[in-house]
């Protein structure tokens, strides 16, 4: 039985921190990042569960995460959600979240909510 | 970042933390996006701290300070 008791974010994803840091990161720092990640997720799931149960649902919807990101001041009137999606997520996922890409005709499509 | 999101892992984490709740079809991608933005913010704060301490490398204490700043995130 090698399986860990609690599902966690994998180490390789925590390494993304290094890409964002743009400077050398001490090896022992990653342990702290890992700890922060755990705390972050604990709070995240709490918040999302609160939002969706407030709406009377048992499923966390896209809109719940959007509300959360608005509270975190990540999504604002100047920076709508689909801009963040375009900046940070790879194309395959962008296609799932934004069915029609914004192109030269400047038509901004509705974000799929399901 | 051109990485695949750990979609199954995210679902498992929610199930572990909040039994009875589940993530809808695309919500896990947004959770992943949120996580990336969290890491970016943490990295930026840690970088600023490292600069202020004239350190050329990000040390654990820089990240701890950064984490305290963005705790109310």
């Amino acid at each position: 039985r090698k399986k860990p008791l609690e599902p966690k974010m994998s180490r390789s994803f925590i390494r993304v921190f290094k890409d964002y840091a743009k400077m050398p990161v001490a090896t022992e720092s990653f342990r702290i990042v890992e700890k922060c990640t755990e705390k972050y997720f604990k709070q995240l799931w709490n918040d999302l569960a609160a939002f969706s149960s407030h709406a009377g649902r048992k499923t966390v919807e896209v809109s719940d995460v959007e509300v959360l990101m608005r509270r975190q001041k990540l999504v604002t009137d100047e920076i709508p959600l689909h801009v963040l999606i375009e900046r940070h997520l790879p194309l395959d996922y962008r296609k799932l979240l934004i069915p029609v890409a914004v192109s030269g005709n400047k038509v901004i499509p509705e974000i799929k909510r399901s | 970042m051109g990485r695949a999101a750990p979609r199954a892992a995210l679902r498992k984490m929610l199930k572990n933390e909040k039994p009875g709740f589940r993530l809808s079809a695309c919500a896990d991608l947004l959770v992943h996006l949120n996580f990336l933005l969290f890491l970016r913010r943490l990295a930026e704060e840690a970088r600023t701290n490292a600069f202020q301490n004239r350190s050329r490398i990000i040390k654990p204490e820089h990240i701890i300070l950064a984490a305290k700043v963005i705790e109310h995130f």
Side-chain angles (χ1 to χ4, degrees):
Chain A
R1 289 204 282 122
K2 271 200 298 182
K3 227 170 178 267
L5 289 171
E6 270 186 34
K8 269 196 223 162
M9 197 37 128
S10 68
R11 286 267 166 89
S12 67
F13 269 96
I14 288 164
R15 296 268 156 181
V16 176
F17 180 81
K18 204 175 156 192
D19 303 341
Y20 283 129
K22 293 179 195 127
M23 67 188 283
V25 181
T27 327
E28 61 266 31
S29 299
F30 284 107
R31 226 187 46 245
I32 308 294
V33 179
E34 210 173 324
K35 226 178 234 168
C36 293
T37 307
E38 269 169 43
K39 280 200 173 164
Y40 158 79
F41 271 114
K42 198 157 241 173
Q43 197 183 330
L44 181 82
W45 299 134
N46 259 331
D47 290 351
L48 288 179
F51 282 137
S52 53
S53 62
H54 177 74
R57 278 186 265 105
K58 279 285 189 187
T59 309
V60 176
E61 302 276 357
V62 171
S63 55
D64 296 327
V65 191
E66 194 186 342
V67 170
L68 179 73
M69 286 169 81
R70 214 168 250 283
R71 268 191 65 105
Q72 290 168 341
K73 306 243 162 62
L74 289 171
V75 173
T76 55
D77 291 337
E78 288 82 47
I79 311 166
L81 183 61
H82 67 88
V83 172
L84 288 174
I85 293 169
E86 277 172 18
R87 274 190 205 154
H88 295 280
L89 289 184
L91 183 64
D92 311 1
Y93 296 148
R94 203 195 301 169
K95 274 186 198 154
L96 288 174
L97 290 163
I98 310 172
V100 187
V102 180
S103 77
N105 59 8
K106 294 207 174 64
V107 175
I108 298 166
E110 281 273 307
I111 292 167
K112 192 178 157 197
R113 292 170 199 282
S114 65
Chain B
M1 298 289 117
R3 273 166 184 271
R7 304 184 72 166
L10 288 171
R11 283 169 200 286
K12 268 183 216 153
M13 283 162 78
L14 176 61
K15 203 176 221 174
N16 180 271
E17 199 67 36
K18 297 268 160 199
F21 282 94
R22 57 189 208 90
L23 280 167
S24 82
C26 287
D28 54 341
L29 293 177
L30 283 189
V31 171
H32 178 63
L33 171 67
N34 198 245
F35 174 58
L36 289 182
L37 292 170
F38 159 75
L39 276 187
R40 190 180 70 150
R41 190 152 174 211
L42 188 67
E44 277 169 1
E45 297 279 352
R47 193 176 138 85
T48 321
N49 288 335
F51 270 127
Q52 275 170 3
N53 294 351
R54 301 219 174 90
S55 168
R56 298 209 45 212
I57 182 164
I58 292 181
K59 290 182 188 152
E61 55 262 37
H62 302 145
I63 300 177
I64 292 171
L65 268 177
K68 277 179 188 150
V69 172
I70 64 171
E71 204 172 2
H72 316 288
F73 185 52

